[in-house]
Amino acid sequence: MEAWRRQLNDRVSAFPVAKAGPAHIATLKTFDPPLAALEGRRFRGVERRGKRLLLPTDDGELVLLVHLMTAGRLKMLGAGEAGPKTPAFALAFEGGSKLVLTENARKKRAGVWLLTPEAAQEELAHLGPEALGLDAAALGEILRRDARRLHPLLRDQRAIAGIGRAWANEILHAARLSPYALSTDLSDEEVERLAAAMNEELARGLELRERGASDEKTYRVHNRLGEPCHVCGTPIAQIDFEEHTIYYCPECQTGGRVLKDRRMSRLLR
Ligand SMILES: [Zn+2]
C-alpha cells in the first residue's frame, strides 16, 4: 500500500477532478456528499492509514477513502491511454488523466467512501498502530492484551494496521512462529523475532512493489502449497482457518507438525 501511495501522490494532485464516477454500486459505499461534489476540486495528495488510502481535497472539505481489500487495484492512466471497460470506480482529471479502480473478483469487496474530514476521522479511529515501524515493546503490549492466535491477530486491523493474510503468512514464516501460537505464550525473544520479521518483511514487500514486482515474485510462502520452503526445502503446507487459507512451513514454524483443521481437532495448535 505504501508503494502505491508514493506512486499516486503526485499524479492525483496535478489537476482538479473533471468528472467523478462512474462507480459500481457495490464499490461506492456513501451517497452523501454526492460523488459530483468532487468535481472542480483538486486533491492534496495521497495519505495512507493501514490498508486504506486517503485522498483529501486541498480545500479541506472532503476526503476520498479507498480500501482495495484483496483484489482491488488502482491505476493511473495518462491522457488517451486505454483503460478497463467497466472499472469499479473512476475519476477523470482535467488534462485527460484518469484514476481507475478495478477488481478482478466475482464478489466486489473493495470500497470507496466520500466523506467529510470529521467522518473520515471517525472511520479511522478504531485502527491500531501501523505495522511498519512498530517496535518489540509496542508489539509485546498488543500481543499480551489477550490470548489470541497469531495469524488472525496480525490481520486484525484494530490491533495492528496494515497486514493482510498474505503478509501474515510471510511474517510468521520469517519469524519461525506457528500461525496458531497463542500471542500470550510468546517469550520476549520470540516477540523480538516477530517485530523484526514484521518490519523486515514489510520493508521487503515495499521495495519489491516499488520496482513493480508481481505477487509471484514477492511472496515466498503465501500461495506456495507444495513448493519447497526457501529456507529448509520442506514442502509448504496449508490449513483453512476462519475462511482464510494459511500457508506455513511445518519444519521452520511448527516443529515438524502438520496443523489440523481446528473444527476437527480443537486441542491442537
Ligand atoms: Zn522451512
Side-chain angles (χ1 to χ4, degrees):
M1 290 311 298
E2 179 61 19
W4 265 326
R5 188 200 69 77
R6 292 184 196 176
Q7 280 173 16
L8 290 172
N9 189 57
D10 296 342
R11 300 189 68 186
V12 301
S13 52
F15 293 99
V17 174
K19 185 172 182 340
H24 190 281
I25 191 163
T27 306
L28 185 65
K29 310 285 189 190
T30 51
F31 57 91
D32 181 30
L35 212 45
L38 276 176
E39 292 168 6
R41 296 184 211 249
R42 190 192 288 256
F43 292 115
R44 197 163 64 215
V46 183
E47 296 161 16
R48 186 181 66 88
R49 211 37 200 95
K51 294 160 79 182
R52 293 157 179 80
L53 293 173
L54 297 166
L55 289 78
T57 56
D58 69 356
D59 58 10
E61 299 279 322
L62 296 168
V63 179
L64 189 73
L65 191 153
V66 179
H67 196 320
L68 296 172
M69 300 302 287
T70 312
R73 297 287 180 267
L74 269 183
K75 198 176 176 210
M76 201 72 192
L77 303 170
E81 195 179 333
K85 270 203 188 71
T86 51
F89 178 74
L91 284 177
F93 295 92
E94 284 172 24
S97 59
K98 261 187 185 170
L99 179 70
V100 293
L101 191 168
T102 55
E103 191 175 21
N104 190 14
R106 201 145 40 89
K107 193 158 181 181
K108 301 282 177 232
R109 292 178 192 274
V112 171
W113 292 253
L114 184 59
L115 303 163
T116 61
E118 298 73 39
Q121 205 61 43
E122 186 86 356
E123 189 77 26
L124 299 171
H126 66 265
L127 279 185
E130 290 290 323
L132 192 59
L134 203 62
D135 64 18
L139 178 63
E141 266 180 44
I142 294 167
L143 295 173
R144 284 172 189 131
R145 233 181 264 155
D146 296 295
R148 296 180 58 188
R149 306 213 177 264
L150 291 182
H151 198 279
L153 174 58
L154 288 184
R155 286 190 342 251
D156 181 352
Q157 303 300 306
R158 288 164 192 260
I160 303 168
I163 303 174
R165 63 198 174 105
W167 286 105
N169 288 330
E170 299 296 318
I171 290 165
L172 289 170
H173 180 271
R176 305 192 309 278
L177 291 169
S178 166
Y180 277 11
L182 282 179
S183 60
T184 44
D185 285 352
L186 263 52
S187 67
D188 290 347
E189 192 265 329
E190 287 172 325
V191 172
E192 280 189 24
R193 231 158 64 201
L194 183 56
M198 204 164 76
N199 281 288
E200 281 159 23
E201 283 301 296
L202 292 174
R204 180 176 72 83
L206 182 56
E207 202 204 311
L208 284 165
R209 288 287 191 217
E210 284 197 318
R211 284 197 264 131
S214 60
D215 284 358
E216 182 89 309
K217 279 232 161 79
T218 305
Y219 301 134
R220 300 189 286 201
V221 184
H222 181 69
N223 259 344
R224 293 200 178 270
L225 177 66
E227 293 181 40
C229 163
H230 70 93
V231 175
C232 73
T234 303
I236 296 294
Q238 72 171 41
I239 172 90
D240 289 329
F241 181 72
E242 291 173 355
E243 294 178 39
H244 290 281
T245 300
I246 297 174
Y247 295 87
Y248 68 101
C249 170
E251 184 60 35
C252 292
Q253 293 176 259
T254 53
R257 279 177 307 161
V258 171
L259 298 174
K260 299 269 163 57
D261 189 319
R262 293 251 307 138
R263 283 164 300 189
M264 312 282 286
S265 155
R266 306 194 134 266
L267 295 174
L268 222 93
R269 65 161 228 250

